[in-house]
């Protein structure tokens, strides 16, 4: 899945998107999910800000209780998958599994 880009915003907020569990993780809640964030460039050479590899359970455990200012529950983005250096924060406002019919 690729979201639409958000222009000129250092603290972007993406609209809710629904996706089936089969399409997202083959109905395996522990399947690794990779989120990669890029800084959009007009010339098409988008600059990678950071990424995180996680799963549905981790997303659900990191749902923010304080809105988009909740740095304590935020997931840390890094340039490399196993890097310790934080390049940004991904704050999860909602993550729910509504129906498992796999």
């Amino acid at each position: 899945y690729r979201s639409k880009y958000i222009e000129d915003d250092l603290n972007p907020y993406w609209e809710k998107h629904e996706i089936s569990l089969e399409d997202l993780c083959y109905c395996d809640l522990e399947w690794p999910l990779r989120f990669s964030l890029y800084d959009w460039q007009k010339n098409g050479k988008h600059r990678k800000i950071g990424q995180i590899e996680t799963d549905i359970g981790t997303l659900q455990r990191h749902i923010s209780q304080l809105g988009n200012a909740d740095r304590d529950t935020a997931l840390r983005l890094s340039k490399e998958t196993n890097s310790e250096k934080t390049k940004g924060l991904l704050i999860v406002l909602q993550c729910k599994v509504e129906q498992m019919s796999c």
Side-chain angles (χ1 to χ4, degrees), residues 1-6 12-15 17 36-38 40:
Y1 168 76
R2 178 181 281 192
S3 69
K4 77 177 211 177
Y5 74 91
I6 298 172
Y13 171 84
W14 287 273
E15 294 297 323
H17 181 78
S36 300
L37 282 81
Y38 291 83
W40 186 86

Side-chain angles (χ1 to χ4, degrees), residues 6 8-9 37-41 45-49:
I6 298 172
D8 296 327
D9 194 331
L37 282 81
Y38 291 83
D39 184 16
W40 186 86
Q41 302 293 314
K45 296 180 180 179
H46 311 310
R47 186 175 52 87
K48 188 174 193 174
I49 296 171

Side-chain angles (χ1 to χ4, degrees), residues 25-85:
C25 59
Y26 306 103
C27 298
D28 179 356
L29 298 180
E30 295 177 4
W31 187 267
L33 304 173
R34 179 176 293 153
F35 293 87
S36 300
L37 282 81
Y38 291 83
D39 184 16
W40 186 86
Q41 302 293 314
K42 286 181 186 178
N43 64 8
K45 296 180 180 179
H46 311 310
R47 186 175 52 87
K48 188 174 193 174
I49 296 171
Q51 68 182 20
I52 185 167
E53 194 165 295
T54 188
D55 58 46
I56 297 291
T58 302
L59 288 174
Q60 289 179 319
R61 286 190 301 278
H62 285 267
I63 293 174
S64 170
Q65 301 301 311
L66 304 173
N68 68 349
D70 191 354
R71 300 170 83 73
D72 293 334
T73 60
L75 297 168
R76 302 320 191 222
L77 299 170
S78 62
K79 284 274 189 180
E80 306 298 327
T81 303
N82 296 323
S83 175
E84 295 294 320
K85 188 172 181 181

